[in-house]
Amino acid sequence: MMGLSADDMSVLSGLGNAAPDVAALAAAARARWNGLRVTVVDALDVRGETPALETASADVFLLGSDGHCWSMTSDPAAASGVMLAARS
């Protein structure tokens, strides 16, 4: 999967607000978007970064990839993955 639409971002926000925790959000995202890389990290790993979405269960960061390296992106259309950090 390459890229997330505005509708995808809205669905992701809804999943994050409905999920009881970051693990449940990760499972729901993996089930919804088969080709999307979903990674769960500790909030300390992304301190200083700005999330693309803030949901009840997690901060959501978008990841882009050139096929070799991963980097944060603010552009949903360029996202190949999401990084989820539990909200404290």
Side-chain angles (χ1 to χ4, degrees), residues 3-79:
L4 294 169
S5 68
D7 287 342
D8 290 330
M9 294 298 288
S10 179
V11 169
L12 185 55
S13 180
L15 291 172
N17 287 325
D21 57 34
V22 69
L25 172 55
R30 289 179 182 122
R32 174 74 169 82
W33 296 282
N34 188 30
L36 184 69
R37 177 68 162 226
V38 178
T39 304
V40 176
V41 299
D42 189 276
L44 288 175
D45 294 334
V46 289
R47 69 184 175 274
E49 298 288 344
T50 303
L53 292 172
E54 295 179 5
T55 72
S57 61
D59 287 334
V60 180
F61 301 87
L62 303 177
L63 299 172
S65 176
D66 62 5
H68 178 63
C69 295
W70 290 91
S71 61
M72 297 270 192
T73 182
S74 60
D75 180 7

